Amino acid sequence: MRTLQEPPIDDEFRFLAGDAARVSRTAPLPEVRRVDAPVSQGRRISGLWFEPDRAPEPVLLHGAGLNAHGFDPTLLALGRPALALDLPGHGRSDWREDADYRPDLLAPDVALALDALAPGSTALVGHSLGGLTAILTASARADRTRALVLVDITPGVVPARDAGSVAEFITGQRSYADHEEIIDRAIAFGIGSSRESLARGIALNTRRRPDGRWEWTHHLAHLDGLPAGGPDPADAAAGAAVGTESPLAPLWRPLEALHNAGLPVALIRADAGMVDARLADEWRDRLPGSPVRTIAGPHNLHEAAPRELASVLGELIGSV
């Protein structure tokens, strides 16, 4: 269960006006409501519903170590009703007692949250660990999924090679003197480049400890080791050699089955992210005709290039 102190509820939307200005949104700010739903083992999943009087068009799942607020600028630029969920162990969703955050364990909880919050047809958009979780969620809810978009992740990613720096960033340091130290470290690890956007994300994802230092609020940062099975919580010993098959490779099967059944599936890759040209070619070979779009930026495109990501998402979701 979640044990960390949460930030004040009335303070979590303080960045929305600045986010809107950053993406040049001219329309009034939409209503954004904090919602939650019961899932397994008495836990709850929390999320942010943009325009809660309308059914969400996309449902978005973030990567490991992040939270639903990371999508705020992208969704303000997109301008559609949407639901961004905090994955279990992240944001304001409850922690798993077993501390196991593999996609195959996250997807059933996400599916239950969708049953409660978005029971109609919707598009699923998943970044990194959220993308792998979205594959399995779409497979379990194929009758209600109208499109699946993965952002800078494929089942071909080898965690220790392609995502090792992200895992090291999450677990390599437990506390920080201030937010500036976290920003400097994130830039050094290639997590982002804009100090302003990083500062915003860090403010929504950290808390001050009793000793005055800062730490992450998500569960992964409090574990001695991260579980294998995702691109972010990677097993540092798995598949380090070039040419080694990804431990995520079994996820190609449900993804290919969805594609072969006619579900529109698409990939958005960052040119400086985890999905290189080799992985993009593998995607095209396995999923013929499935769109691959490339956006300039690092792995966390929703933070570095929210307007560009919203534009491509609008195209992909609007075409189905």
Side-chain angles (χ1 to χ4, degrees):
M1 294 292 187
R2 182 175 60 235
T3 58
L4 293 177
Q5 180 181 357
E6 297 177 340
I9 291 291
D10 62 355
D11 201 35
E12 71 168 311
F13 301 114
R14 64 190 183 277
F15 293 103
L16 285 180
D19 292 338
R22 181 185 172 204
V23 299
S24 302
R25 180 187 172 104
T26 57
L29 287 178
E31 179 184 359
V32 185
R33 185 181 303 166
R34 172 66 66 176
V35 295
D36 62 45
V39 292
S40 62
Q41 302 171 336
R43 293 176 291 107
R44 302 190 75 83
I45 277 186
S46 185
L48 301 170
W49 196 333
F50 283 66
E51 301 183 44
D53 58 332
R54 301 170 62 191
E57 294 184 18
V59 173
L60 299 97
L61 307 177
H62 60 78
L66 304 175
N67 60 65
H69 273 299
F71 291 116
D72 288 355
T74 299
L75 293 179
L76 289 171
L78 184 63
R80 301 189 186 194
L83 176 65
L85 295 178
D86 287 328
L87 291 177
H90 297 74
R92 301 192 180 185
S93 292
D94 290 328
W95 293 3
R96 292 183 60 90
E97 291 186 4
D98 60 9
D100 196 338
Y101 295 102
R102 291 176 295 174
D104 59 313
L105 298 179
L106 299 182
D109 281 347
V110 171
L112 288 173
L114 293 184
D115 290 344
L117 299 173
S121 175
T122 187
L124 280 177
V125 177
H127 168 253
S128 205
L129 176 62
L132 302 176
T133 303
I135 294 172
L136 297 173
T137 304
S139 184
R141 295 293 185 271
D143 58 329
R144 300 205 306 267
T145 303
R146 63 185 183 88
L148 174 63
V149 181
L150 271 57
V151 181
D152 209 49
I153 189 64
T154 79
V157 166
V158 177
R161 183 184 69 226
D162 301 319
S165 63
V166 179
E168 186 180 350
F169 174 72
I170 291 174
T171 61
Q173 184 170 338
R174 292 293 179 89
S175 70
Y176 300 84
D178 52 34
H179 284 179
E180 289 300 311
E181 183 182 3
I182 307 177
I183 293 170
D184 290 342
R185 192 162 189 268
I187 292 174
F189 273 80
I191 305 300
S193 57
S194 166
R195 299 190 71 87
E196 181 181 1
S197 61
L198 284 168
R200 172 200 167 284
I202 288 166
L204 291 168
N205 207 18
T206 57
R207 68 160 190 167
R208 189 188 291 273
R209 304 191 325 180
D211 62 4
R213 293 180 65 82
W214 292 87
E215 66 183 4
W216 300 108
T217 57
H218 56 80
H219 197 185
L220 296 178
H222 300 266
L223 304 178
D224 291 332
L226 295 181
D232 310 305
D235 179 353
V242 174
T244 300
E245 183 179 52
S246 168
L248 309 175
L251 290 177
W252 280 119
R253 290 194 292 273
L255 184 58
E256 289 169 340
L258 290 167
H259 174 68
N260 293 336
L263 179 74
V265 176
L267 170 66
I268 301 173
R269 60 181 290 262
D271 69 351
M274 290 184 190
V275 180
D276 58 17
R278 172 186 55 84
L279 290 172
D281 286 342
E282 181 185 22
W283 176 282
R284 295 184 182 97
D285 289 342
R286 288 178 174 270
L287 308 170
S290 173
V292 177
R293 300 286 187 267
T294 301
I295 296 175
H299 179 56
N300 289 351
L301 283 173
H302 54 287
E303 296 176 348
R307 281 196 300 180
E308 293 83 354
L309 179 59
S311 177
V312 176
L313 282 176
E315 171 199 344
L316 295 173
I317 296 172
S319 66
V320 298

